[in-house]
Amino acid sequence: MDSDGTQDARGTHANPVPRARSGMPPMPSEAPSVPPHPDSSAFLTWLRTPRPETLPGVWRFGHRPRPEAEPELIPGRQLISGALIAFLVGWLVWSLLQNGYVGDWWLVPFKLLIPDAWRGGGSDVGNYLLYEGYELIVALAIMIVVGRLGRWGEVWRRFVLPHLRRKPPRQQPVAVPAEDPAEWPQLRAAGAADAAERLAAEARAGVMRDVDHARIARAWQGVRSGRFSLATFTGAVLQEGAAACLHPSGERDLPARLARHDLLTGQVRLGTTADDARNPYAYRGAGLGLGPELLGTSLLAVGPAGSGKTGTVIRPIAESLCLHALAGRAAVVVVGAAGAGLGPADAYDVVVQIGNPESVYDLDLYGGTTDPDEAAAVLAEALVGDLAEPHQGGDTRRSTTVLAQLLGPFRAVHGRFPSVPELRQLLDGAPGPLAALRKGLADSGQESLLRELDARERQMGNPGDVGGILADRIALLDRPAFAAFFQSAGSDASGQSRPFSLKALDHPVRVRIDLPQRGHADASRILARLVLAQFTASVAVREDRSLFACLVVDDATGVVTPEAVRGVQRLRSGNAGVVLTLRTLDDVPRPLRGPLLGSIGCRMALSGLTPWDGQDFAEVWGKEWIEARDVTDRQIIAETPAGKVLHAVRQVITGKAPTARAVTVRQVERERWSASELAHGVPPGHAVLSLTTVTGEHAPPLLVDLRG
């Protein structure tokens, strides 16, 4: 049974044979002095930590919400001077009272409330305590009044208390909520008390992990949705415990983690929102977390080489999606150059290394489809999608028609689609293959397909025929380095090819596709467009859309086409999304930049952006109304000698000449982030990120420290 409670189609059972490991033992995750006994405290603490509902993009694990409005902050110099002046005023008042300069009226309450017998007692100690106690009460009253006027409490909180808290406080035990999630109350309420008790015992014993909890919770969702029965789920849990409903790979975790993940909320932490005045107050200092609810609207990250796109954005997101796949929640395809640092091969189920003879898996050129028209549409987008005009009507329909005129007859004769060399010969108009194809169609009586082939032969050599362009593009894949690749089902006579198709996105699969960037840059762009086209076509026809599907493309140069933008716009309704990175928006045709930024819900501008790229982001982020204050200072001229002396004393104390300030407040509209700020105001290691959830909630552009 896989993560959604059904048995894998390849016959993988809940207890597969463990993979063969290398002879060298794995590196220990703890110091040698730590005993290797199981410890459940870390898992239980993680599970019981509160995760309040917050604004989009806020890291919810242990988050403490802040007020939406920023409290008024008094400048430090003004606060200290006010507190000191208040102290001096209180001291002056007390001195005047003690020395009798203001009379004895302040003793009237004492005389009215204290009996004469108490005041005239024979005990010196009693009289001293009585009179001194009253004076102490008066002094405390004066201190409270001047303390409030001088804001002594705020001085204590801002300048004294932080120095007293330098030592880290002792960790307090996490309070267990009323319904302990470690006891699986939802299972007990549904009548599966035995399964809940088994899982609770596994959690207390320290053998359950966060991936196990997420995977079993996903399987329980399958029970509630009716995909399989409660008895099947309960039997698997009672038999396997925390290892129930395993991923078909048999893995329960990734070999290593580089980022912080919270599988209970599905978030991965990318950094910390900077404590900057341009960020909303409720976001400042909070962690930045991305989950499927945000990636479902797709993400575009733009920044020059070395700005941290792969290490701080792509790698954590890919790692998070792989964990979701192990939990049965997601299917992920990661595309990038070989050696780009997208995670170890052990973290994926399928690794396609195009151009590497040692690659175990191959990439199906036709996406696993048996429909010639569908295969022609996807292949035409990959080959010449970047040549289509971005304006209305500039699509790849002519190229699709040309390919369909060849793929349909070839499949009817051979029962499969042509390999790359065969397709190149057909597009070049080689007489031998075309004659053999014609003969096969005539022998089988395929009159309609024979007419298709006749139409293709009539168009060859005519002005405007796109067959030559398609042949030139397919020739980029017909290279010796790719001789053993792009074999569709049935086209490999040796039977050694294992073509991978994106039709497998109905299952929680983890896929990494390495592109041969060195020496084959044009071929890599064709393959990247091919994967994107197959992805958008496959997720649209999935049966189980509760499984989140995501395509991560590291360096989408040459991938963005008019059809790709239309495909990205349709992903949100299919519970899918893409993550794209670009070095610059100049890699996208000018007419497509606006539609691309409009179809992407999450947009990220990293440090080092050019001003013209910043202008595109500034336009899509729009403007906001703000309250602008115009302050005018006018110097005050004293006319009397006393006034001149007072002004001189004031100038000595404050360091400035006495002025009269006039403040004008007005509402103005300005850009949230200007092109100049994006180009020159984003520090290294930072990015400006706007977010949109699948439900339509928005987060304004936030300055984020990706290193935090």
Side-chain angles (χ1 to χ4, degrees):
M1 187 171 64
D2 63 9
S3 55
D4 61 358
T6 59
Q7 188 174 357
D8 185 72
R10 294 171 291 181
T12 305
H13 300 284
N15 243 338
V17 179
R19 292 181 176 178
R21 302 292 184 183
S22 59
M24 182 177 296
M27 181 178 296
S29 59
E30 297 177 331
S33 60
V34 178
H37 62 81
D39 183 12
S40 62
S41 60
F43 172 76
L44 293 178
T45 301
W46 169 82
L47 187 60
R48 293 165 178 167
T49 300
R51 296 165 173 84
E53 293 292 335
T54 59
L55 298 170
V58 174
W59 176 253
R60 293 174 53 188
F61 180 79
H63 174 67
R64 296 182 179 180
R66 303 177 67 178
E68 294 189 6
E70 181 179 6
E72 183 180 0
L73 186 63
I74 302 175
R77 179 178 177 180
Q78 180 180 347
L79 189 63
I80 293 294
S81 61
L84 181 60
I85 292 174
F87 172 75
L88 295 176
V89 170
W91 186 17
L92 176 62
V93 171
W94 177 250
S95 299
L96 294 176
L97 294 178
Q98 285 291 314
N99 296 317
Y101 289 104
V102 294
D104 58 352
W105 59 265
W106 63 286
L107 295 174
V108 172
F110 178 79
K111 296 177 180 179
L112 293 176
L113 298 176
I114 303 302
D116 295 339
W118 290 14
R119 286 181 281 148
S123 175
D124 294 337
V125 176
N127 291 333
Y128 177 79
L129 293 177
L130 188 63
Y131 284 95
E132 293 297 329
Y134 179 74
E135 291 183 357
L136 179 61
I137 293 175
V138 174
L140 289 176
I142 295 174
M143 184 180 296
I144 291 173
V145 172
V146 299
R148 287 183 175 273
L149 293 176
R151 298 185 177 90
W152 289 1
E154 189 171 352
V155 172
W156 173 267
R157 289 189 298 269
R158 286 177 58 180
F159 299 102
V160 180
L161 200 58
H163 295 282
L164 300 178
R165 290 180 176 177
R166 283 182 177 179
K167 295 182 179 180
R170 293 184 301 176
Q171 294 184 355
Q172 300 293 333
V174 179
V176 179
E179 279 194 352
D180 188 1
E183 297 295 330
W184 295 86
Q186 66 273 28
L187 270 66
R188 298 180 188 274
D194 294 340
E197 188 59 37
R198 175 65 189 276
L199 294 175
E202 297 274 279
R204 290 190 295 268
V207 296
M208 180 175 287
R209 312 170 188 176
D210 55 351
V211 179
D212 298 330
H213 184 276
R215 187 183 64 251
I216 295 174
R218 164 71 178 177
W220 176 247
Q221 291 179 359
V223 175
R224 298 183 61 183
S225 63
R227 289 199 301 269
F228 57 96
S229 65
L230 177 62
T232 303
F233 171 81
T234 304
V237 170
L238 292 177
Q239 181 181 0
E240 303 294 338
C245 310
L246 274 181
H247 185 266
S249 66
E251 300 291 341
R252 297 172 61 183
D253 204 346
L254 296 179
R257 300 189 188 185
L258 296 182
R260 292 184 60 187
H261 304 273
D262 183 22
L263 291 179
L264 205 59
T265 60
Q267 291 182 313
V268 53
R269 180 161 180 161
L270 293 188
T272 304
T273 307
D275 191 3
D276 189 271
R278 291 169 291 192
N279 289 336
Y281 181 73
Y283 278 96
R284 296 178 194 173
L288 176 70
L290 297 185
E293 75 282 355
L294 292 170
L295 297 179
T297 62
S298 300
L299 169 67
L300 173 66
V302 182
S307 58
K309 298 187 298 297
T310 302
T312 60
V313 179
I314 296 298
R315 176 69 184 273
I317 291 177
E319 191 175 275
S320 174
L321 292 172
C322 287
L323 288 172
H324 282 290
L326 290 179
R329 297 173 173 176
V332 55
V333 180
V334 182
V335 181
L342 301 177
D346 293 343
Y348 297 90
D349 303 313
V350 176
V351 178
V352 182
Q353 298 174 310
I354 299 176
N356 187 353
E358 299 180 359
S359 178
V360 178
Y361 289 92
D362 187 9
L363 181 63
D364 192 340
L365 193 65
Y366 303 99
T369 183
T370 57
D371 184 3
D373 293 328
E374 180 181 351
V378 172
L379 189 57
E381 167 65 15
L383 293 178
V384 295
D386 58 326
L387 301 180
E389 293 293 334
H391 56 73
Q392 183 71 22
D395 50 25
T396 57
R397 283 178 291 184
R398 294 174 58 192
S399 302
T400 301
T401 302
V402 171
L403 289 172
Q405 290 173 342
L406 297 174
L407 296 182
F410 192 95
R411 181 171 179 80
V413 173
H414 300 280
R416 60 176 177 84
F417 288 123
S419 62
V420 171
E422 292 171 333
L423 181 59
R424 181 183 181 184
Q425 290 179 346
L426 293 175
L427 290 172
D428 281 333
L434 289 175
L437 195 57
R438 175 181 295 277
K439 183 177 182 304
L441 292 174
D443 294 342
S444 59
Q446 301 281 347
E447 295 296 334
S448 60
L449 294 178
L450 193 58
R451 290 194 297 269
E452 289 281 295
L453 188 61
D454 290 338
R456 172 86 286 269
E457 290 182 341
R458 288 195 302 269
Q459 295 170 3
M460 288 181 181
N462 293 337
D465 181 28
V466 297
I469 300 176
L470 292 171
D472 293 339
R473 287 298 180 91
I474 200 68
L476 296 173
L477 302 181
D478 188 18
R479 307 299 302 164
F482 309 139
F485 288 86
F486 314 126
Q487 304 290 340
S488 61
S491 63
D492 185 11
S494 64
Q496 297 179 357
S497 175
R498 299 179 62 182
F500 169 76
S501 168
L502 268 71
K503 295 289 185 182
L505 294 180
D506 282 329
H507 306 284
V509 63
R510 303 168 294 166
V511 184
R512 192 187 79 190
I513 301 177
D514 294 342
L515 301 179
Q517 290 283 356
R518 181 175 298 180
H520 302 280
D522 292 334
S524 296
R525 296 189 185 100
I526 292 175
L527 295 174
R529 288 196 298 269
L530 176 67
V531 174
L532 178 57
Q534 292 182 359
F535 178 82
T536 55
S538 299
V539 297
V541 295
R542 289 189 304 162
E543 297 180 0
D544 183 13
R545 295 194 176 185
S546 64
L547 193 70
F548 179 67
C550 189
L551 172 66
V552 181
V553 182
D554 186 26
D555 189 7
T557 303
V559 176
V560 180
T561 65
E563 185 60 33
V565 173
R566 287 190 286 266
V568 170
Q569 293 172 345
R570 296 189 295 264
L571 291 179
R572 186 184 305 188
S573 60
N575 193 22
V578 296
V579 178
L580 308 175
T581 67
L582 291 169
R583 294 187 180 92
T584 173
L585 288 176
D586 287 339
D587 294 332
V588 179
R590 166 56 67 179
L592 289 179
R593 296 181 194 176
L596 174 65
L597 292 172
S599 62
I600 296 289
C602 304
R603 313 171 189 97
M604 177 182 290
L606 287 90
S607 61
L609 211 66
T610 59
W612 39 93
D613 284 347
Q615 184 62 40
D616 292 322
F617 278 100
E619 290 179 359
V620 75
W621 282 332
K623 300 180 179 181
E624 62 179 346
W625 287 98
I626 64 169
E627 188 179 80
R629 293 173 175 263
D630 295 334
V631 181
T632 304
D633 288 336
R634 179 180 60 83
Q635 185 175 356
I636 303 176
I637 306 299
E639 298 180 356
T640 63
K644 293 180 180 180
V645 172
L646 182 61
H647 285 188
V649 173
R650 181 177 176 182
Q651 185 171 1
V652 170
I653 295 175
T654 62
K656 298 180 180 179
T659 58
R661 175 170 295 181
V663 180
T664 303
V665 181
R666 55 194 177 93
Q667 295 288 331
V668 297
E669 190 179 20
R670 73 164 193 184
E671 294 177 328
R672 298 178 185 270
W673 278 84
S674 67
S676 178
E677 289 176 329
L678 290 172
H680 308 292
V682 180
H686 290 64
V688 180
L689 171 66
S690 65
L691 302 170
T692 305
T693 66
V694 292
T695 58
E697 296 182 72
H698 295 271
L702 306 171
L703 180 62
V704 180
D705 185 1
L706 299 176
R707 303 166 300 184

